[in-house]
Amino acid sequence: NAGVTQTPKFRILKIGQSMTLQCTQDMNHNYMYWYRQDPGMGLKLIYYSVGAGITDKGEVPNGYNVSRSTTEDFPLRLELAAPSQTSVYFCASSYDDSLGSPLHFGNGTRLTVT
Amino acid sequence: DAKTTQPTSMDCAEGRAANLPCNHSTISGNEYVYWYRQIHSQGPQYIIHGLKNNETNEMASLIITEDRKSSTLILPHATLRDTAVYYCIVIKAGNNRKLIWGLGTSLAVNP
């Protein structure tokens, strides 16, 4: 199993450009999450999904969009990149929301907006 | 969900036990203690979780005090690869999406 795979690993965007961060998991997990981590800060939840076709906002959703058309994929879309979106983005998945279902994380996408 | 307090940083000698404390004095009866760690430049990794009994797995042991107001994560024989930020999180069952990630404890394992 590859686990949670994120692409790209690094990206530099100009202000106003758009991009999609890709996330795929091969563990047949129902729940998927997008977090951002700013330097020296804890992770903050952007969006999450409890299954294909179902998404919901997390703590910091502004400026982002998501979709979940399949169980495996959960892409994160930035429409108009802003410097405030410079961060490391982590995708995670879990089988469900129960105690014995911890989060599995990808290794992140490092995004710089200039 | 209850907040947690952890020391900002700790040091440990390679081969010795690393004992990482966490205070969660406002924990409620149905909240669990979870530990994750984040090795530099990687995504967080689940370590262990518990309710009130001590727990052990292949990675670590979790000791929870009888009043559940604090806990200690024990890495029995720390290696250089255990150098990471360790997060203690208190969460109710069914609330994965409500995990609150603080700043954790930065553990440096020294040769």
Side-chain angles (χ1 to χ4, degrees), chain B residues 5 12 18-20 32 42 44 50 58-59 62 72 85-86 96 99:
Chain B
T5 304
C12 176
N19 298 295
L20 292 91
Y32 287 69
Q42 296 181 21
E58 65 278 3
M59 289 183 68
L62 174 60
T72 301
V85 177
Y86 288 77
N96 267 345
L99 292 176

Side-chain angles (χ1 to χ4, degrees), chain A residues 99-100 102, chain B residues 24 27-36 46-57 60-65 68 70-73 88-93:
Chain A
L99 289 169
Chain B
H24 31 79
I27 193 170
S28 60
N30 61 350
E31 289 181 315
Y32 287 69
V33 180
Y34 272 76
W35 284 83
Y36 284 80
Y46 165 77
I47 302 173
I48 199 167
H49 74 273
L51 178 64
K52 54 184 178 181
N53 297 321
N54 298 338
E55 302 287 345
T56 295
N57 63 20
S61 295
L62 174 60
I63 308 298
I64 302 174
T65 58
R68 304 208 322 122
S70 66
S71 60
T72 301
L73 179 75
C88 170
I89 301 171
V90 172
I91 191 82
K92 291 188 182 72

Side-chain angles (χ1 to χ4, degrees), chain A residues 10-21:
Chain A
F10 303 92
R11 184 72 186 268
I12 298 174
L13 281 183
K14 294 189 188 306
I15 294 171
Q17 286 185 321
S18 62
M19 77 164 293
T20 299
L21 283 68

Side-chain angles (χ1 to χ4, degrees), chain B residues 9-14 16-20 78 83 105-110:
Chain B
S9 63
M10 294 182 65
D11 285 287
C12 176
E14 189 177 19
R16 305 295 294 268
N19 298 295
L20 292 91
T83 293
T105 296
S106 179
L107 174 68
V109 180
N110 303 308

Side-chain angles (χ1 to χ4, degrees), chain A residues 1 9 25 33 35 47 55 57 64 69 71-72 77-78 90-91 102 112:
Chain A
N1 283 354
K9 287 185 169 50
Q25 52 92 8
Y33 314 80
Y35 287 90
Y47 270 95
T55 63
K57 296 177 180 178
Y64 307 94
S69 57
T71 300
E72 295 78 19
R77 179 87 178 156
L78 283 70
F90 290 102
C91 179
T112 302

